[in-house]
Amino acid sequence: FATVVPAVFLAARALARLGLGSGWVSRPMRHGLRQVDHFAWIGLGLLGLALWLPGWFFPLVWGALFLVADPIVYRQRPDLSLIADIERGDWRRIGRLLIGGLVVGGLWETYNHWARGKWIYTVPLLENLKWFEMPPLGFVGFPFFALEAWAMYQMLVVLGVAVDAGDRIPDHQAGGRRVRLPVAALLAVSFSIVTLLGMERFTISSTVPALGIRPAALGGVRSVWELAQHTPSTLASAAGISADSAARLVEFARVVTLRGIGTGHAYALARVNVRTLCGLAASDAGGLWGHLHALSPAPSRRPTEAEVRVWIRAAARACGG
């Protein structure tokens, strides 16, 4: 977020400098948006649903935090509040944030698509329809994330933790900020540690594929990615090994580097006699997932059945259909 949030804001600022949306204004609301504080309760309710059943309600995250944060901004700094912008009929900032979020989100997703280390999404009901790595509907989340990023940051501004871009801290707030800042830093570090541990436990499935063999033993091959590109005959000649051994090594490397499988999952697949891309392509997702989870009396949460379906579809493409 140290790069994501500034990128969203800078995109919106660039659009402002280009004059985009300078006339995006409408008639102000006569009576405003009454009971703004109720929005925060709605946001907490949406967030609760997303945490309760994330498999179905995860889209509610894109919107829930905005509804929680912006009412706080509205009460103390209406000039920074997007809800106040709506009341004033001023859609310029909202429009630029929405467009900026979509533009930079689309750019990030192109980077993600071509990266080796990437996010591979298994979205319920939308696994087979993707632009790059993302289901088309998923791109809707980027504009709403931009609104949330704005509201969350400005909430920190009005709470005296962050400083509005370009603004000097008023003298009467400086003392209070010196007290709040260490507390905020401690909370931020604690939250970050819990989040990272949670990502490792619940979100991240595979890690960087490891070769596990000294390069000298494989004719100078230094990475599993390089090994996967070899032909067995070339590897056999360079490493001085049999053609069968070379074929097994190359095939294993191709499995390891396929769609986030990684070394650990590849060894698990080998233990259930799935050692080749074509063997993986011919597997039944539900049956294979069951076999993988039967390997241990206390099976882990990974891989999920959705991940196995991703592997099988990718293997089918690599195996020629």
Side-chain angles (χ1 to χ4, degrees):
F1 282 85
T3 53
V4 169
V5 173
V8 170
F9 294 173
L10 288 170
R13 183 173 295 183
L15 294 175
R17 291 296 298 268
L18 293 173
L20 182 68
S22 58
W24 293 349
V25 293
S26 62
R27 181 177 301 175
M29 292 184 176
R30 178 175 299 179
H31 301 293
L33 291 169
R34 298 180 178 181
Q35 306 298 333
V36 171
D37 291 336
H38 289 178
F39 292 166
W41 292 108
I42 295 173
L44 289 173
L46 297 178
L47 188 59
L49 285 174
L51 294 173
W52 176 45
L53 290 174
W56 293 102
F57 293 116
F58 67 91
L60 299 182
V61 171
W62 287 272
L65 296 179
F66 168 77
L67 293 175
V68 172
D70 202 72
I72 298 173
V73 183
Y74 178 92
R75 291 301 182 192
Q76 300 191 45
R77 286 285 302 272
D79 58 307
L80 299 177
S81 167
L82 299 179
I83 292 176
D85 284 350
I86 295 174
E87 285 187 335
R88 292 188 290 265
D90 187 348
W91 300 91
R92 293 172 293 184
R93 180 160 50 192
I94 293 174
R96 291 165 184 154
L97 284 168
L98 290 172
I99 295 172
L102 180 61
V103 169
V104 296
L107 180 64
W108 293 328
E109 196 49 43
T110 62
Y111 293 162
N112 183 60
H113 176 68
W114 298 109
R116 284 179 177 174
K118 67 172 71 179
W119 293 108
I120 298 174
Y121 308 107
T122 53
V123 181
L125 307 178
L126 298 173
E127 290 181 12
N128 295 312
L129 180 61
K130 291 187 177 181
W131 294 346
F132 299 109
E133 292 292 344
M134 173 97 52
L137 194 60
F139 286 92
V140 177
F142 287 123
F144 286 97
F145 170 75
L147 300 184
E148 285 195 318
W150 176 270
M152 293 292 289
Y153 184 78
Q154 301 306 338
M155 180 183 70
L156 297 178
V157 171
V158 302
L159 293 178
V161 176
V163 180
D164 192 16
D167 284 358
R168 185 178 64 85
I169 305 173
D171 292 337
H172 69 279
Q173 293 183 4
R177 186 171 183 270
R178 281 194 293 269
V179 174
R180 286 188 291 266
L181 201 53
V183 176
L186 178 61
L187 292 174
V189 170
S190 303
F191 180 80
S192 298
I193 291 173
V194 171
T195 299
L196 290 171
L197 292 175
M199 288 172 62
E200 292 285 348
R201 175 67 178 87
F202 299 107
T203 302
I204 297 174
S205 180
S206 59
T207 54
V208 177
L211 194 58
I213 303 175
R214 290 181 293 105
L218 288 178
V221 175
R222 296 187 175 276
S223 75
V224 70
W225 303 95
E226 184 181 345
L227 181 60
Q229 299 299 317
H230 266 62
T231 61
S233 59
T234 303
L235 180 65
S237 175
I241 59 178
S242 68
D244 286 344
S245 295
R248 287 195 295 269
L249 284 169
V250 170
E251 194 63 34
F252 183 75
R254 290 173 179 170
V255 173
V256 167
T257 55
L258 181 76
R259 298 297 287 167
I261 290 180
T263 307
H265 290 324
Y267 278 120
L269 289 169
R271 290 175 63 190
V272 296
N273 295 317
V274 177
R275 295 182 172 88
T276 67
L277 292 180
C278 291
L280 178 57
S283 302
D284 170 71
L288 178 57
W289 178 77
H291 290 319
L292 290 171
H293 280 251
L295 292 175
S296 170
S300 66
R301 298 173 60 89
R302 291 290 191 249
T304 65
E305 189 172 353
E307 287 176 80
V308 175
R309 289 195 295 269
V310 169
W311 300 347
I312 291 175
R313 283 195 295 270
R317 290 192 296 270
C319 194

